[in-house]
């Protein structure tokens, strides 16, 4: 769930997952390791110094690395897209890069097909 203008990113909650094969055993986020950790580890406080942010993000990524639903969490964050926090082992900046790569990859076949039609 995206934070509203009156809600800080720290208060964001993992939303209910849409229908998937995991729904038979419950939504993916019910198995997330981060549900047992402090949300502050995954979301930056305002005006956080760079060194503290990098340290906090690395600690959050260590939690993600042992999570059984890392892939589902990452895909959720990419599909939403989640603008804040560490989701699926990726920071917001890393997710933006991944989304840009996906967009380029998804448009390359279309562009090359158009070029071959012109030639």
């Amino acid at each position: 769930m995206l934070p509203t203008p009156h809600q800080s990113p720290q208060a964001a909650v993992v939303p209910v997952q849409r229908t998937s094969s995991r729904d038979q055993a419950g939504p993916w986020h019910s198995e997330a390791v981060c549900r047992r950790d402090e949300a502050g580890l995954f979301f930056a406080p305002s005006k956080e110094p760079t060194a503290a942010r990098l340290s906090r993000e690395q600690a959050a990524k260590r939690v993600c690395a042992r999570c059984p639903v890392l892939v589902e969490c990452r895909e959720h964050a990419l599909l939403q897209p989640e603008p804040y926090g560490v989701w699926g082992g990726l920071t917001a900046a890393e997710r933006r890069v991944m989304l840009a790569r996906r967009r380029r990859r998804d448009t390359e076949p279309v562009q090359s097909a158009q070029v071959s039609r012109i030639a």
Side-chain angles (χ1 to χ4, degrees):
M1 165 169 27
L2 295 176
T4 64
H6 305 302
Q7 182 182 21
S8 70
Q10 292 88 346
V13 177
V14 177
V16 174
Q17 174 68 11
R18 290 168 184 80
T19 305
S20 73
S21 59
R22 262 196 197 278
D23 284 347
Q24 297 163 350
W28 65 264
H29 56 82
S30 66
E31 299 176 42
V33 173
C34 63
R35 290 182 66 87
R36 297 179 289 275
D37 290 314
E38 186 178 325
L41 185 61
F42 297 90
F43 295 96
S46 61
K47 300 180 182 178
E48 181 179 34
T50 301
R53 177 182 54 81
L54 294 172
S55 177
R56 180 188 48 73
E57 288 173 347
Q58 287 305 312
K61 287 178 178 189
R62 284 192 296 275
V63 172
C64 293
R66 67 178 197 267
C67 186
V69 293
L70 179 136
V71 173
E72 292 91 337
C73 180
R74 181 177 293 175
E75 284 306 309
H76 160 81
L78 292 167
L79 291 172
Q80 284 308 308
E82 291 290 350
Y84 305 106
V86 174
W87 291 77
L90 298 175
T91 64
E94 291 166 335
R95 290 191 304 274
R96 284 190 297 274
V97 168
M98 184 173 271
L99 284 170
R101 286 180 182 160
R102 281 186 179 184
R103 280 191 295 272
R104 279 194 305 271
R105 181 195 66 212
D106 292 346
T107 59
E108 283 176 4
V110 173
Q111 290 173 347
S112 53
Q114 290 173 347
V115 169
S116 64
R117 281 189 231 146
I118 295 171

